[in-house]
Each structure stands twice: as structure tokens, then as C-alpha cells.
Amino acid sequence: MSLFDALWKAGALRPLDHAFAQSLRRLDGDDATPALVLAGAALASLAVSQGHAGFDPARPRLLLGNEALAAVDWPSAEEWNAALAGSRWISRPGDGDDAPATAPLVFESGLLYLRRYRQYEHRLAQRLRRLAAQAPATVERDALAPLLAALFPASATGTTPGADGQARAAVVALERSLLLVTGGPGTGKTTTITRLLLLLAAQARHAGHPPPRIALAAPTGRAAERMAESLGKALAALQGVAGIDPDLFATMPAGASTLHRLLGTIPDSPRFRCDADNPLPFDVVVVDEASMVDLPLMCKLAEAVPEGARLVLLGDPDQLPSVEAGDVLAAIVEATADDAGAAATGAPLAGHRVHLQRGYRQDEGFELAPLASAVRAGDADTVLGLLRGGGLSGVHFHENRLDPLDGAGRDALFDHWRQLAVATDPATALAHAARLRLLTALREGPQGAGGLNARSEDALAGARRGDQAYFQGRLLLVTENSHRQQLFNGDIGVCLRDADGMRAWFPGVDGGVRGFHPGALPAHDSAFAMTVHKAQGSEFDTVWLQLPRADGRGLSRELLYTAITRARRELHVCASEAVLRGALARHVERASGLAGRLR
């Protein structure tokens, strides 16, 4: 039995993957296409669905489970190379070349790509290298020294840990058109960017130019709202500081948008209104939560940044990568140096990254930092010791608890959710909803978001629900973008009655609220429980994390790190030792050639 047929029989391929390979077989004649080429085509399609840019024949375990691999005889690298090299369906361009449009697959640097995704990698690498190479017009740094000292006083005195990195990021941004600022929650990324933007406005004034046109964006609506809120608070904290011209504040952006809204979605098209031929009308583009941006979207964004403009990416490389194909942030981090002093290495992106290290988001009395550091390192013994020891204020471990809606969690969760139904107005309800969230690693099953939401709805609505899908206090999660309604994947709303009946209320772009008839909403689910992936880009006062009863490939240290760092004041972890150890031993790894292209 061929590898292609064995993989299909073992259930390792999706019908879509199988159909794609079969289409090549039909076009080539039933027996003309080698079985390894058919298997490679199917696996390249499967790879994209699992977040990889391409299929790596040398690392099948990135794509296939142990059960599927045990059911097949895996070919050697030489067999793969020989089969893939001789097929008319597969091209082998050099990195500086476009892939021929006649071949649907590309084999390059050991990876087999669907042609479109190889082109995304190729184009993104070219654009980022071009951005890194262009030097923006600058003024003498001495002219900005007084403002720099006013914005970063702790850096000059050395009194605040991490302030030196923040000031260095600002200086790097003055001298480069591409900047990557990385760091965990609470390390001051937004604070740094706020001061950086003020410096850029002052730099333009000194050069006799108009104030820079600045765009703030994030992958999701909620992340964009948080970005705008954080920038507003950071600007407010600087009001009245000696040495900062008050006129500079008027040049700052008033809000942030999703990347899709920024680029301009075209209905029923993968393209955007803004692209290389019709670039964005901005001088500075700042993107938060860059770890969530997938390969196609980052490529289209980078190409839409106009020549002479700056692109600033903010992100935490230890969080989960994008749900869709690619791990762009990790690739850029790999291709950059930690600070401007490493530019002498000669890599195109060297010196374009600053990593901030100051601590994690935490209120007074919430000791998350030691746990977050141990999770990030995959140190299971330290993680379990910290959880069991009870010495971390605000961190609670419910060992071996398989149901957060029973026992200690039931009253805490349901008491919070019942308050939504008696809120005096939608804004109050939305603010209350954002204070607590139940997170899970799974979508389906009794411990998944679907099962937990269904049980929560039954408990909260009770007999009053009847045949009605919507009830007072029901939390909603939008799962598809609706540009007409300005509702986007990840937006959270709450159902409350008004004089016109039941309405679904969502935050407005101006800080207010907007009401919709529930039947007019885009696709949505309940949001009492959310997957960790859906919660990425958000933060909550209290987080309950429920891990599944059995270990699985979807669990990883990145998932745990992302989940626990959503908490600001209190964290509850429900898990067994075996599942925690399994997750911490697993590191998310994506097959990608982007880092090599950037180097």
C-alpha cells in the first residue's frame, strides 16, 4: 500500500487534503503521478491547516500523531527528494525568484509548500528586509535629548529596572524604519510605544515636517480596544510632565483598529483595498499582539506600508502563535538581534529588535511572575512546587479537579455571571463581564468551551429560557467578521432587555455601547467559557483555567503561558499533575522557512 493510501486509511488526512492530491492524479493520468508526490501534496495541504507554512518530510511528527506514523512506512529523505524533484507539479525556485504559476507546489530548503504560502513567505521576507534597509530622515539626537530625558527619567538615573530597554527602543525607532519590541505582559511595551510616538512627533517638528500620521492596529477588536485604552492612559500619565510640549499630545492617535479594518476588507476577496499599489496613508504603523498575526495577513500588511514609513511590531514571543498558518513573530525574533548593539553581525534585521524585561502584569498582592517564568521555561517541577506550595499570593491550584462548574468554582463563577442579568445598564454589564473568564484548552467535549457554555446557559437561564436562545445576561462571542456592523471575531457582548426587547450590546468604537437585535448578529457563540486561543489579546481580573483530563497534542507550555498571563489579580488552575507535565514538555514548533529568508 502506498504512503498516500496508508495515510488516508489511517485517518491522518482530511477529505480536502485527499481531494487535492486526487485532483493532481486525475490531471496527470491515473498512474502517472508518483505516490510520494500525492502524499506530499496532501500533507502540504494538511500542514497549512495545522498552522505550518509548509510540510517538512524530515519532521513528520510536527504534522502527524504517533498512531498515524506507526501505521505507515515513512520514506527516507533521499526518497522524498528524488520523488519531489521529478514532478511537474512541483517547482524549485531560488529564494530570490518567484515560484512559477504553473506548479501548485514548491519544494525549497527542505519544505514542501502550497505555492501561495511559499509566495507569502518570499514576499514578506523581501518587504521586511527592504524596510530594515531604508533609513528614515533623522535629526541630530542632541535636539531631542531634553525630551528623551523627560520621557525616560528613570533610564538616565538607573533607578527603574527595564527603563533602559524602553529608552533604547525609542532611540532605535528614531533611526530605523522597522522595529520589533518584545516582552511579556507588564514589561512596558505600551508605555514605551507611547513615548516613542511623542519622540517621533517631536522629531518631525524639528525637521520642519508635519506631524506623523500614526495608525494603531491589532489582530482582534478586543486587542485593538485594549491598545487604545492603554495608550490613552499612558498619555494621560504624561500630561503636565515638565519638558514635554503639550502640543505634542494633539498629534497622537485617538483610537486603534483591527488589521482587517485598517487594510480595508473587500467582500468575498482575500485581497485588501490597501496594498503595495495603494499603500496605507500613514507614516507610522504600530501593531500590537503581533504573535497572533498569521503569515498571509502579515505579508499583506507589510506590503501596504508605504515607502519611507515606519512599521513597529509589539508582541510576546512566548505566547501561542497565530491560529492560521505561520509563526511570523518567532521567525522575526530568530532573525533579529536583542538590541541595537548587535548590528555588526551583518544580518539584514540585526539591531531591529529590543526585548523588554521588567516583570509581568500583576496587581499588588498577585505573585504571577515566578509561575509565568517557570511555565515559559517548561520547568514542570518548579511549576508544580509553586502551585502546590501555596506561597504565591492570588494563585490557586485545584489539583485533579475536572469540572470547574462544580465544587469551589461553581459559586465563584455563577455568582459573577448572575450579576450580569441585574446590571443597571449595558456598559456596567460589559465592564463586569470583563473581570472574570473561564478558559479552556478545548473547543468541544464536557471540558471544552462548547460543553461548559451549554451547562452554564442551562444553569443561568433555567426554566425561564424555554425555546429562547437569548436570555438576560447571556455573554456572546462573535466568531466571524462583519465589517458592515463593525463587529469582529473575538468581540464580546451581553444580552440585556430594553424598551424594544432583547438586545445584544457590544462596546462602541467611541467608548460607548452599541445594541443589535440578536438575530442580526454575525456568527457567534456563548462566552462564559472561552478557549485560550480566543482569549489571546484580552486580559481579565480573574482567570479560571480548566485543563482536560488527558494530555494531548494541543497542549503546550505556550498555551499555559498565554492562559495564565491573561490574569491581572487572581488565577485558578484546575489540572492534574500528569496533564501539566505533558503540556510543559511540549513546545509549539511550526515548519517555516521565513527566518532563513530573513537572515
Side-chain angles (χ1 to χ4, degrees), residues 146-170:
L147 178 59
L148 191 64
L151 291 171
F152 299 98
S155 178
T157 62
T159 57
T160 304
D164 178 61
Q166 295 174 11
R168 188 168 66 251

Short mmCIF file of all heavy atoms in Angstrom, two decimals, residues 146-170:
data_model
loop_
_atom_site.label_atom_id
_atom_site.label_comp_id
_atom_site.label_asym_id
_atom_site.label_seq_id
_atom_site.Cartn_x
_atom_site.Cartn_y
_atom_site.Cartn_z
N PRO A 146 16.60 66.71 25.51
CA PRO A 146 15.77 67.14 26.65
C PRO A 146 14.45 66.37 26.73
O PRO A 146 14.01 65.98 27.82
CB PRO A 146 15.53 68.63 26.37
CG PRO A 146 16.68 69.04 25.50
CD PRO A 146 16.96 67.85 24.64
N LEU A 147 13.80 66.15 25.58
CA LEU A 147 12.55 65.39 25.59
C LEU A 147 12.79 63.94 25.97
O LEU A 147 12.01 63.34 26.73
CB LEU A 147 11.87 65.48 24.22
CG LEU A 147 10.56 64.69 24.07
CD1 LEU A 147 9.53 65.18 25.08
CD2 LEU A 147 10.02 64.81 22.65
N LEU A 148 13.87 63.36 25.47
CA LEU A 148 14.19 61.98 25.81
C LEU A 148 14.40 61.83 27.31
O LEU A 148 13.93 60.86 27.93
CB LEU A 148 15.46 61.55 25.04
CG LEU A 148 15.81 60.07 25.07
CD1 LEU A 148 14.75 59.24 24.40
CD2 LEU A 148 17.16 59.82 24.40
N ALA A 149 15.07 62.81 27.93
CA ALA A 149 15.29 62.76 29.38
C ALA A 149 13.99 62.92 30.14
O ALA A 149 13.79 62.30 31.20
CB ALA A 149 16.28 63.85 29.79
N ALA A 150 13.07 63.75 29.61
CA ALA A 150 11.77 63.94 30.28
C ALA A 150 10.90 62.70 30.17
O ALA A 150 10.17 62.35 31.10
CB ALA A 150 11.05 65.14 29.67
N LEU A 151 10.99 62.00 29.03
CA LEU A 151 10.16 60.82 28.82
C LEU A 151 10.71 59.59 29.54
O LEU A 151 9.94 58.72 29.97
CB LEU A 151 10.07 60.52 27.33
CG LEU A 151 9.27 61.51 26.49
CD1 LEU A 151 9.44 61.22 25.01
CD2 LEU A 151 7.78 61.47 26.86
N PHE A 152 12.04 59.51 29.68
CA PHE A 152 12.66 58.34 30.30
C PHE A 152 13.60 58.78 31.43
O PHE A 152 14.80 58.52 31.39
CB PHE A 152 13.43 57.53 29.26
CG PHE A 152 12.57 56.99 28.16
CD1 PHE A 152 12.50 57.66 26.94
CD2 PHE A 152 11.84 55.84 28.34
CE1 PHE A 152 11.72 57.16 25.91
CE2 PHE A 152 11.04 55.33 27.31
CZ PHE A 152 10.97 56.01 26.10
N PRO A 153 13.08 59.46 32.45
CA PRO A 153 13.96 59.94 33.53
C PRO A 153 14.62 58.80 34.29
O PRO A 153 15.76 58.91 34.72
CB PRO A 153 13.01 60.74 34.42
CG PRO A 153 11.66 60.17 34.14
CD PRO A 153 11.67 59.80 32.70
N ALA A 154 13.91 57.67 34.45
CA ALA A 154 14.48 56.56 35.21
C ALA A 154 15.65 55.94 34.48
O ALA A 154 16.56 55.39 35.09
CB ALA A 154 13.41 55.51 35.48
N SER A 155 15.66 56.02 33.14
CA SER A 155 16.78 55.47 32.38
C SER A 155 18.06 56.25 32.64
O SER A 155 19.14 55.68 32.74
CB SER A 155 16.44 55.49 30.89
OG SER A 155 17.52 55.01 30.13
N ALA A 156 17.91 57.56 32.76
CA ALA A 156 19.08 58.40 32.99
C ALA A 156 19.66 58.17 34.38
O ALA A 156 20.87 58.21 34.59
CB ALA A 156 18.70 59.87 32.80
N THR A 157 18.77 57.91 35.36
CA THR A 157 19.24 57.75 36.73
C THR A 157 19.54 56.30 37.07
O THR A 157 20.21 56.01 38.06
CB THR A 157 18.19 58.28 37.72
OG1 THR A 157 16.98 57.51 37.57
CG2 THR A 157 17.88 59.73 37.45
N GLY A 158 18.99 55.37 36.25
CA GLY A 158 19.20 53.95 36.54
C GLY A 158 18.39 53.46 37.71
O GLY A 158 18.72 52.44 38.30
N THR A 159 17.29 54.16 38.06
CA THR A 159 16.53 53.79 39.25
C THR A 159 15.43 52.78 38.97
O THR A 159 14.92 52.16 39.90
CB THR A 159 15.88 55.04 39.87
OG1 THR A 159 15.06 55.67 38.88
CG2 THR A 159 16.95 56.01 40.33
N THR A 160 15.02 52.61 37.71
CA THR A 160 13.91 51.71 37.40
C THR A 160 14.38 50.58 36.51
O THR A 160 14.81 50.83 35.38
CB THR A 160 12.77 52.47 36.69
OG1 THR A 160 12.37 53.55 37.52
CG2 THR A 160 11.59 51.54 36.42
N PRO A 161 14.31 49.31 36.97
CA PRO A 161 14.71 48.20 36.12
C PRO A 161 13.88 48.17 34.85
O PRO A 161 12.67 48.33 34.87
CB PRO A 161 14.42 46.97 36.99
CG PRO A 161 14.38 47.49 38.40
CD PRO A 161 13.85 48.89 38.30
N GLY A 162 14.51 47.94 33.73
CA GLY A 162 13.79 47.86 32.47
C GLY A 162 13.68 49.17 31.73
O GLY A 162 13.42 49.20 30.54
N ALA A 163 13.87 50.29 32.42
CA ALA A 163 13.71 51.59 31.77
C ALA A 163 14.76 51.79 30.69
O ALA A 163 14.52 52.46 29.69
CB ALA A 163 13.79 52.71 32.81
N ASP A 164 15.94 51.19 30.87
CA ASP A 164 16.99 51.34 29.87
C ASP A 164 16.55 50.73 28.54
O ASP A 164 16.79 51.29 27.48
CB ASP A 164 18.27 50.66 30.37
CG ASP A 164 19.39 50.75 29.34
OD1 ASP A 164 19.78 51.87 29.01
OD2 ASP A 164 19.84 49.69 28.88
N GLY A 165 15.89 49.55 28.60
CA GLY A 165 15.39 48.93 27.38
C GLY A 165 14.32 49.76 26.73
O GLY A 165 14.25 49.85 25.49
N GLN A 166 13.47 50.40 27.50
CA GLN A 166 12.42 51.24 26.95
C GLN A 166 13.02 52.44 26.22
O GLN A 166 12.60 52.79 25.11
CB GLN A 166 11.48 51.69 28.06
CG GLN A 166 10.71 50.54 28.70
CD GLN A 166 9.90 51.00 29.90
OE1 GLN A 166 9.74 52.18 30.14
NE2 GLN A 166 9.38 50.04 30.65
N ALA A 167 13.99 53.08 26.83
CA ALA A 167 14.64 54.22 26.17
C ALA A 167 15.38 53.77 24.92
O ALA A 167 15.39 54.47 23.90
CB ALA A 167 15.61 54.89 27.14
N ARG A 168 16.01 52.58 24.97
CA ARG A 168 16.74 52.09 23.82
C ARG A 168 15.80 51.82 22.65
O ARG A 168 16.12 52.10 21.49
CB ARG A 168 17.50 50.81 24.18
CG ARG A 168 18.45 50.35 23.08
CD ARG A 168 19.39 49.26 23.56
NE ARG A 168 18.72 48.03 23.89
CZ ARG A 168 18.55 47.56 25.12
NH1 ARG A 168 18.99 48.24 26.16
NH2 ARG A 168 17.94 46.41 25.33
N ALA A 169 14.59 51.28 22.95
CA ALA A 169 13.60 51.04 21.91
C ALA A 169 13.22 52.35 21.22
O ALA A 169 13.06 52.40 20.00
CB ALA A 169 12.37 50.37 22.49
N ALA A 170 13.06 53.40 22.01
CA ALA A 170 12.69 54.69 21.44
C ALA A 170 13.79 55.22 20.53
O ALA A 170 13.51 55.74 19.44
CB ALA A 170 12.40 55.69 22.56
#
